[in-house]
Amino acid sequence: MDTNYQHSDLTQLILKAFYRVYNTLGYGFLEKVYENAMRIELLKLGLDCVTQQPIDVYYEQQKVGVYYADLIVNNCVIIELKAADGIVPEHEAQLTNYLKATDIEVGLLLNFGRQPQQKRRVFANSRKDHY
């Protein structure tokens, strides 16, 4: 399977929810407001959605930290939400690190800034289980 298209139908549904939330709420709210609205929209689409899922980070088999993913959809797409002027490399690095630390290979970075922005990331490595 070409990983660039992995879960593309699901990510299209997520983007539909993102633009619906953006067009309804607009710009200027805190990330938590957008997170709650996204959860409502994703559930309306019949998707499984978990908020603030802990992600353990390991170094040499020892836990060295924990992150919290804003949203995980159908246990196969991580969503990182921002409410910033624009997406910066640090935001993209954060999403990539979430993907590195989990078995999930697809992530979306969604920014509720002055203009809606989205980036899709795929990260596969040999440590991930493939079925």
Side-chain angles (χ1 to χ4, degrees), residues 31 47 55 60 72 116 120:
E31 288 175 18
L47 303 174
I55 297 172
E60 295 186 356
I72 296 182
R120 185 177 194 273

Side-chain angles (χ1 to χ4, degrees), residues 87-94:
I87 293 175
V88 297
E90 291 82 2
H91 298 153
E92 295 181 58
Q94 183 180 9

Side-chain angles (χ1 to χ4, degrees), residues 53-68 97-98 101-102:
Q53 177 73 36
I55 297 172
D56 293 332
V57 179
Y58 290 87
Y59 176 79
E60 295 186 356
Q61 289 77 46
Q62 295 183 53
K63 185 176 171 181
V64 294
V66 64
Y67 283 107
Y68 293 89
N97 287 338
Y98 290 172
T102 66

Side-chain angles (χ1 to χ4, degrees), residues 34-82:
Y34 296 115
E35 178 184 306
N36 292 334
M38 282 292 298
R39 183 175 181 278
I40 290 167
E41 280 301 315
L42 294 167
L43 291 173
K44 281 173 37 180
L45 290 171
L47 303 174
D48 180 47
C49 184
V50 178
T51 59
Q52 296 302 313
Q53 177 73 36
I55 297 172
D56 293 332
V57 179
Y58 290 87
Y59 176 79
E60 295 186 356
Q61 289 77 46
Q62 295 183 53
K63 185 176 171 181
V64 294
V66 64
Y67 283 107
Y68 293 89
D70 290 333
L71 298 160
I72 296 182
V73 179
N74 288 5
N75 204 33
C76 59
V77 176
I78 295 176
I79 301 175
E80 179 59 23
L81 301 175
K82 296 296 176 191

